[in-house]
Amino acid sequence: MRNQKKQNLIQLILVIGIIVLANFISSFVFTRVDLTADKRYTLSESSKKLVSNLKDVVYVKVYLEGDFPAGFTRLRNATKELLDELRLHSKGNLEYEFIDPSANPDSKERNSLYRQLVEKGLQPTNLEETSKEGSSQKIIFPGAIISFSNQEIPVQLLKDQLGTAPAQMLNNSIQNLEYEITSSIHKVTNPYRPTIGFLEGNGELSAREVEDLSNSLKSTYEIKRIRIDGKLGVLNECRALIIAKPDSALNEKDKFIIDQFIMHGGKVVWLIDQMQVTMDSLSTRGETIALARSLNLDDMLFRYGVRINYDLLLDLQSAPIPVVTGMIGNQPRQQLRPWFYFPVLTPSSTQVIVNNLNSIKTQFVSSMDTITSQGITKTVLLSTSRYTRVQTAPVRVSLGIMQLKPEPRQFNQHDIPVAVLLEGDFQSLYKNRVPPSISQDSLIDFKQQSKKPTKMVVVSDGDIIRNDFSKGRALALGFDKYTSTTFGNKDFMQNVIDFLCDDSGIMTVRSKEFKLRMLDPAVIESQSSTLQIVNCTIPVAAIMLFGIFKFYRRKRKYSRT
């Protein structure tokens, strides 16, 4: 009996020693086993490869420290766990720290830090804290600054999504953490900067009108304004070409050069307004006629697999604009009313470009059809809501429509495509159409079919890329100055460019999907007492039954001996 007690004591000491040793080792070495069904804690191979090949230290400052509600604490913990996992594979070349920007008691220095973070590109979020003394506002910055060498890049960790419940929004933000952080590390450490060209010469949006997007892309790409003017090879240095809202027809020679750019593997973003109408044309009389715009691109896009129709879409899910509804004294009274010609598109596709993306604001958008084209895969990225109306050209556009109550039966169409991704081996528009002097010229290097699979994105709205202005300064792309809402236009365009130009495979990380297993509020409210009793009694009862079973088993064992 004495030997048995001695043996039990030794076993107890060994177990305690192993536990202490394991905790000591775990304080220096980070590892974990992912037992989740959706593998949410497993890094993708592209992320592991990226951080394992870092040549110098990447430093991450995360501004998610302090007392937060449970949801933000979960985001903070998920960020730390991800950074620990990345650091494990980085061979010592990834370091991070968490900072509370509100910790400084000096209000002047604290506000100065707030301004610096905003200037660097981080967007603040106001939290309302409630206590016995009352409620107060707290500013937090759910983001990070990633530094490498002399470069910095901001990362917004909390992704806003219009019409999404806070729990789902936080879940989507956590779901995108790996992509947001690893893609930013890739951008700040990659010495090679592909060239993105903005086409000029046919009334496209000016450099000022795309200033905000251009500034955002400059951290990763070289931005260049390009006029073709019939010059062969002018697009050779471009990885991708953006054609943003031309208002006049392209000539055949320029079209030929763009076509051959695609045949040699180039990527194109087509942002096309098929209808000629602007808000400026409505400002004087309150109405105008939208006419079809001849851009000489229909045959080209048709060959590649898509057609933009000559019509305008009205959507009940739309952005508001101010409209005069009466007079107060001698001053006009304005109210915000939904302007059905400005559809707000909520992405429903899980394609990596738009997965978990915020709603996107459009202006005077047209419908699109996909055309059967051999070897081309077509993916609808953006489409209208369930309540859409189509008006075929010519269209009378009047502000007076906002004074009338919309008839739901008139908005009887739904899910009309307005942005499509095309991937595959494209056929040249000029196949079997050019003379031998061109097709056999080695300097021209004419290709009848793309020599390798390539991609393009077609959007039936040129203004999706245009930023507004305030006091002469460019506003953030997607920011609505009437509602102070930031739509997902910039993220959409950045994702489009990254997807077209991505050779690292990092964009595939955006396809990760975490299932949010929410409790049913109605069931909780109606059966709260039952659920509390079950959750409190069953674990205790299970432990007691196990203890009783163990006791009688030991008693039976030793009574025989």
Side-chain angles (χ1 to χ4, degrees):
M1 195 70 177
R2 186 173 297 172
N3 289 336
Q4 182 68 35
K5 289 183 177 180
K6 185 177 180 181
Q7 186 178 356
N8 291 341
L9 181 62
I10 292 173
Q11 289 178 350
L12 178 63
I13 293 173
L14 284 174
V15 170
I16 294 174
I18 291 171
I19 293 174
V20 171
L21 181 62
N23 278 275
F24 178 76
I25 294 173
S26 65
S27 65
F28 296 97
V29 179
F30 174 82
T31 187
R32 62 185 176 189
V33 179
D34 189 354
L35 300 177
T36 59
D38 45 22
K39 296 301 178 185
R40 65 179 61 192
Y41 301 115
T42 301
L43 285 179
S44 66
E45 290 303 317
S46 57
S47 298
K48 293 177 184 178
K49 182 179 179 181
L50 171 68
V51 294
S52 64
N53 291 330
L54 292 176
K55 303 302 182 184
D56 204 347
V57 175
V58 172
Y59 199 79
V60 184
K61 293 182 180 180
V62 185
Y63 295 91
L64 260 178
E65 192 60 67
D67 295 326
F68 301 132
F72 284 93
T73 300
R74 181 167 160 251
L75 178 62
R76 184 255 183 211
N77 293 341
T79 305
K80 185 178 185 304
E81 290 168 357
L82 174 65
L83 290 172
D84 282 333
E85 188 82 19
L86 291 170
R87 184 168 62 178
L88 179 66
H89 294 276
S90 71
K91 303 174 184 177
N93 282 328
L94 180 69
E95 297 294 337
Y96 70 85
E97 69 171 318
F98 279 75
I99 300 171
D100 182 0
S102 302
N104 195 326
D106 189 320
S107 61
K108 184 178 291 187
E109 293 182 5
R110 188 168 63 246
N111 291 333
S112 176
L113 177 58
Y114 290 165
R115 284 192 296 271
Q116 291 177 31
L117 295 179
V118 171
E119 289 171 359
K120 289 181 178 181
L122 293 186
Q123 298 299 318
T125 297
N126 285 328
L127 280 183
E128 186 172 343
E129 297 181 317
T130 305
S131 62
K132 294 180 180 180
E133 291 77 20
S135 61
S136 60
Q137 296 286 330
K138 181 179 180 179
I139 297 177
I140 67 169
F141 286 83
I145 300 292
I146 298 180
S147 305
F148 179 79
S149 187
N150 295 322
Q151 299 185 68
E152 289 185 341
I153 191 168
V155 185
Q156 201 70 26
L157 303 178
L158 179 66
K159 294 294 183 180
D160 292 333
Q161 290 177 286
L162 295 175
T164 303
Q168 182 66 51
M169 187 169 65
L170 281 164
N171 184 73
N172 292 342
S173 298
I174 293 172
Q175 182 173 308
N176 284 330
L177 274 179
E178 183 181 346
Y179 169 73
E180 295 295 338
I181 291 177
T182 55
S183 64
S184 298
I185 292 174
H186 175 68
K187 291 175 181 178
V188 80
T189 59
N190 188 13
Y192 173 64
R193 296 162 62 86
T195 298
I196 306 298
F198 281 84
L199 188 66
E200 288 186 335
N202 298 91
E204 292 85 359
L205 295 178
S206 67
R208 283 277 288 154
E209 291 174 307
V210 296
E211 179 180 345
D212 185 63
L213 178 64
S214 297
N215 290 338
S216 298
L217 293 175
K218 282 177 182 176
S219 62
T220 313
Y221 306 98
E222 294 289 342
I223 304 301
K224 188 174 181 180
R225 308 287 299 186
I226 294 177
R227 296 179 67 96
I228 298 178
D229 291 336
K231 300 173 185 174
L232 293 171
V234 71
L235 300 178
N236 288 353
E237 63 180 303
C238 294
R239 176 72 67 86
L241 178 68
I242 299 176
I243 303 176
K245 196 181 178 180
D247 64 8
S248 58
L250 276 71
N251 62 55
E252 288 299 324
K253 195 167 185 178
D254 286 359
K255 284 173 60 179
F256 176 83
I257 292 171
I258 295 173
D259 175 87
Q260 287 304 294
F261 169 69
I262 296 169
M263 296 307 111
H264 284 80
K267 283 79 174 178
V268 178
V269 184
W270 305 87
L271 307 171
I272 306 299
D273 274 10
Q274 286 289 66
M275 301 293 287
Q276 187 171 342
V277 57
T278 64
M279 289 304 296
D280 290 339
S281 60
L282 288 165
S283 59
T284 53
R285 295 195 306 164
E287 66 178 26
T288 188
I289 300 296
L291 301 173
R293 179 177 271 151
S294 177
L295 299 175
N296 194 26
L297 292 175
D298 292 354
D299 56 348
M300 201 170 188
L301 296 177
F302 191 92
R303 172 59 64 93
Y304 300 151
V306 73
R307 176 175 58 214
I308 304 178
N309 298 311
Y310 292 95
D311 56 29
L312 286 179
L313 301 181
L314 292 81
D315 198 322
L316 291 185
Q317 183 175 296
S318 53
I321 61 172
V323 60
V324 176
T325 58
M327 300 292 291
I328 302 178
N330 59 352
Q331 297 295 322
R333 181 179 64 182
Q334 289 188 333
Q335 288 184 349
L336 290 177
R337 296 281 180 85
W339 180 229
F340 304 135
Y341 291 98
F342 284 7
V344 173
L345 311 176
T346 302
S348 58
S349 172
T350 57
Q351 207 280 340
V352 294
I353 293 176
V354 294
N355 189 31
N356 294 327
L357 204 63
N358 198 7
S359 297
I360 295 161
K361 179 184 175 183
T362 59
Q363 301 182 29
F364 300 115
V365 66
S366 300
S367 66
M368 296 173 62
D369 297 322
T370 55
I371 310 300
T372 301
S373 185
Q374 187 176 1
I376 305 301
T377 302
K378 308 166 189 70
T379 306
V380 175
L381 301 177
L382 298 174
S383 56
T384 59
S385 76
R386 295 171 54 196
Y387 305 101
T388 307
R389 179 181 173 188
V390 180
Q391 292 182 331
T392 306
V395 178
R396 178 177 173 269
V397 181
S398 173
L399 294 175
I401 195 174
M402 292 187 289
Q403 306 293 342
L404 305 174
K405 185 177 180 180
E407 290 285 344
R409 60 183 177 82
Q410 293 180 340
F411 294 79
N412 55 4
Q413 300 191 47
H414 61 89
D415 301 320
I416 297 176
V418 296
V420 176
L421 166 68
L422 305 175
E423 301 175 275
D425 296 310
F426 293 91
Q427 297 286 333
S428 170
L429 173 64
Y430 299 93
K431 181 179 181 180
N432 302 323
R433 290 177 56 188
V434 295
S437 59
I438 293 178
S439 62
Q440 297 175 13
D441 191 320
S442 59
L443 293 176
I444 297 176
D445 193 17
F446 176 75
K447 301 292 181 186
Q448 298 197 59
Q449 182 174 341
S450 54
K451 64 179 184 179
K452 61 181 179 180
T454 187
K455 315 168 191 174
M456 63 176 70
V457 171
V458 185
V459 185
S460 59
D461 176 30
D463 291 305
I464 198 171
I465 199 176
R466 185 175 62 84
N467 50 251
D468 282 331
F469 296 89
S470 177
K471 298 179 180 178
R473 296 182 60 184
L475 298 175
L477 176 59
F479 180 78
D480 184 1
K481 57 187 176 182
Y482 300 126
T483 61
S484 298
T485 300
T486 301
F487 293 94
N489 296 49
K490 184 192 290 189
D491 288 336
F492 172 70
M493 288 307 305
Q494 287 181 319
N495 287 350
V496 165
I497 298 300
D498 289 344
F499 180 80
L500 295 181
C501 300
D502 178 43
D503 294 326
S504 64
I506 291 177
M507 277 296 292
T508 58
V509 178
R510 294 199 84 249
S511 61
K512 272 191 173 183
E513 186 174 0
F514 300 164
K515 294 180 180 178
L516 186 61
R517 297 170 174 87
M518 300 290 291
L519 297 175
D520 190 331
V523 174
I524 293 173
E525 186 175 351
S526 62
Q527 302 180 22
S528 58
S529 300
T530 304
L531 292 173
Q532 288 173 359
I533 293 171
V534 168
N535 281 279
C536 291
T537 57
I538 287 182
V540 176
I543 293 172
M544 291 177 64
L545 288 172
F546 178 76
I548 293 170
F549 169 76
K550 193 76 174 173
F551 172 76
Y552 279 106
R553 187 182 177 189
R554 287 174 60 86
K555 182 178 180 182
R556 187 177 179 182
K557 177 181 177 181
Y558 290 110
S559 63
R560 290 178 179 177
T561 58

